[in-house]
Amino acid sequence: MKAPDPPPDDGRETGDLPNERLRSGMHRVADRIADYLDSVGESRVVPRVEPGALLESLPESPPREGEDLDRILDDYERLIEPNVTHWNHPGFLAYFGITGSAPGILGEALAAALNVNAMLWRTGPAAVELEERVCDWVRQLVGLPLGFHGHINDTASTSTLVALGAARDARRPEVRRLGLSGGEIPPLVVYASDQAHSSVDKAAMALGLGLQQVRRVASDGAFRMRADELEEAIAVDRAAGREPLAVVATAGTTSTTSVDPLHEIAEICGREGIWLHVDAAYAGPAACLPERREMFRGWERADSIVLNPHKWLFTPIDCSLLFVRDLEGLKRAWSVIPAYLASEESVTNPMDLGFQLGRRFRSLKLWMVLRGFGVSGVQDRIREHCRLANEFASWVDEHPTFERVAPVPFSVVCFRARFGAPEERQNELQRRLLEMVNVAGPVFLSGTELNGRFTLRVAVGNLRTREAHLRTAWDLLVESARRLNEEVGG
Ligand code: PLP
């Protein structure tokens, strides 16, 4: 029987745009994106905008009738683009500098068109299998051994939550049914250094372990977890009847990018029978460099590892990769299969790998990035970022007004200015320095606190950042520090 003729594609049937209009809209969007990336470096990194200003210029209610696409895109150009903080700006040196590269942008667009929800293999065979393959490519890229199974979550925060959930299930499977208060469960303790990311605290809260059960282990002078302190904390907890559950070691801490002594920590975890989760959200991709691999020694013994391609693998946010050694254990921890999601195939269904059911097709953009750059392309960029950061660090080291306050293992430099003012004013002056540099516009830096001292950071991670952008930041820092020193009479 002949299929009925499709309805005319004029949008009247569906309410959606006719495909011809989509096509011309995409052409305009393609031009807009290319123009944006061409010119993003010419604008301020952070827009001059007061909180609430955009809100005021947006209509309070949605339009009654659908609007013309060109009008919507005009408004995007007029209202939205100028009022974002430009993470793709080469002068973006704050937090962790990141880039949504061209292959990744294209992958996002295609994933939106496919609109696959890869909750089951059946609901997205290509998405599920591409994810498996691409995660294994990343495993090879960073030199992890066979036996790690990767999958993609939105963020590292989710990946760590999912990993610690698996740790809890491995140690106390009864918690799944009884909850933490339903049986004779002692407090379950998670260890992380005083430099570890706050996502560890949030995971402990969400899993019901409680913040009180997160031990913040002291770090050494280079901001790495002290293994002796970890051992002692474990012994104290055991003696008090608490149960050590997991250690979260960090490879690339958020403030200074320090790397915990993974090998020693893995030894302790092995000896004590404690789950080891390695948070390599930022620095993990740097293990693609043979000359930096040694810094990661020990992570191959972890039970789980998180690494974010959206941080330093040029993939548009969001994309966080979680590797686990025991895939079946992960499924036991998280799988809940209602009748309406039961499937016939003996395959891994992504919905069984964590908290969320529905999943975006994130592996598409990662696949396109890895193919677009190739291993050597990724290595070249990461190596260059580390070189640029070390160059910047040398300027800090050579200047009498500045001091570096942490080693530079990767592409982040932590430093302070020296002000001729009493110690109690130093933090406030560092903050003012940061503010003066950021107000200028061409660069954006962020700060942190190390041992109670406010510290400025320069983070290189953007594909477009060149030495000239670091020079601009440096000149602004030197000049602003000079003016502040003049003001305080230093
Ligand atoms: N772990 C580390 C070391 C981080 O630096 C960050 C964020 O910067 C996270 C985890 C959390 O990352 P996400 O935003 O992907 O949850």
Side-chain angles (χ1 to χ4, degrees), residues 255-327:
S255 287
T256 68
T257 74
S258 58
V259 180
D260 289 338
L262 303 175
H263 182 67
E264 279 176 73
I265 293 171
E267 285 285 326
I268 295 170
C269 288
R271 206 163 51 235
E272 299 275 349
I274 302 176
W275 185 284
L276 174 58
H277 175 63
V278 173
D279 179 353
Y282 152 72
C288 73
L289 301 180
E291 67 271 25
R292 279 173 209 262
R293 203 56 58 88
E294 177 61 19
M295 300 168 85
F296 295 83
R297 191 166 66 92
W299 75 336
E300 71 285 352
R301 293 165 68 187
D303 296 283
S304 53
I305 299 172
V306 56
L307 175 164
N308 275 9
H310 78 224
K311 283 201 191 337
W312 209 8
L313 210 45
F314 320 128
T315 306
I317 192 165
D318 50 9
C319 187
S320 171
L321 216 154
L322 176 64
F323 288 111
V324 293
R325 207 181 263 293
D326 179 5
L327 188 64

Side-chain angles (χ1 to χ4, degrees), residues 15 41 119 122 140 145 151 177 187 219-220 240 249 293 314 358 362 388 432 449 460 487:
M119 52 190 184
R122 169 62 58 205
Q140 295 171 50
H151 74 273
R177 194 168 61 83
S219 51
D220 65 13
R293 203 56 58 88
F314 320 128
R362 295 191 182 90
L388 285 171
R432 281 186 58 200
E449 220 174 80
V460 184
E487 186 188 310

Side-chain angles (χ1 to χ4, degrees), residues 195 223 255-256 427 431 447-455 457:
Q195 299 297 310
F223 307 101
S255 287
T256 68
N427 275 357
R431 284 180 207 278
T448 188
E449 220 174 80
L450 295 173
N451 300 322
R453 301 169 84 210
F454 188 83
T455 299
R457 288 167 82 261

Side-chain angles (χ1 to χ4, degrees), residues 130-139 150-152 321 323:
L130 185 66
E131 184 162 324
E132 184 177 330
R133 180 62 74 225
V134 158
C135 289
D136 200 63
W137 282 7
V138 175
R139 178 191 67 72
H151 74 273
I152 299 177
L321 216 154
F323 288 111

Side-chain angles (χ1 to χ4, degrees), residues 96 155-157 197 199 250 252 254 279 281 308 310-311:
F96 284 125
T155 58
S157 303
H197 191 261
S199 50
T250 311
T254 312
D279 179 353
N308 275 9
H310 78 224
K311 283 201 191 337

